[in-house]
Amino acid sequence: MDVKDSNGNLLSEGDSVTLIKDLKVKGSSLTLKRGTVVKNIRLTNSPAEVEGRAGGSTMVLKTEFLKKA
């Protein structure tokens, strides 16, 4: 299963990614700003999502809003 970022680059376990858009976090007043770097991502069962620590907590991020750092 290939996991790709918004530019079509392959992502793998432990990569760092950058947000390309401000994202509101569901269930929280937190907004992750564009340009935020999420280090050491983990792949999930879905090719459209990765897991990583951002804003002090672990969350699932959609790959369409990420680019490889």
Side-chain angles (χ1 to χ4, degrees):
M1 171 175 60
D2 289 342
V3 179
K4 296 185 178 180
D5 69 1
S6 59
N7 297 330
N9 298 318
L10 281 177
L11 296 174
S12 55
E13 291 276 326
D15 280 351
S16 292
V17 293
T18 307
L19 298 180
I20 61 169
K21 179 182 175 189
D22 286 359
L23 299 176
K24 289 190 188 298
V25 179
K26 280 188 180 176
S28 169
S29 59
L30 182 68
T31 300
L32 296 175
K33 297 292 184 193
R34 194 180 104 208
T36 301
V37 176
V38 180
K39 296 178 183 172
N40 204 12
I41 61 168
R42 289 184 300 283
L43 303 181
T44 62
N45 292 332
S46 167
E49 297 174 339
V50 297
E51 194 176 276
R53 277 187 73 78
S57 60
T58 302
M59 52 189 72
V60 175
L61 301 164
K62 293 202 174 272
T63 55
E64 65 191 272
F65 302 121
L66 305 174
K67 72 176 182 182
K68 196 168 186 175

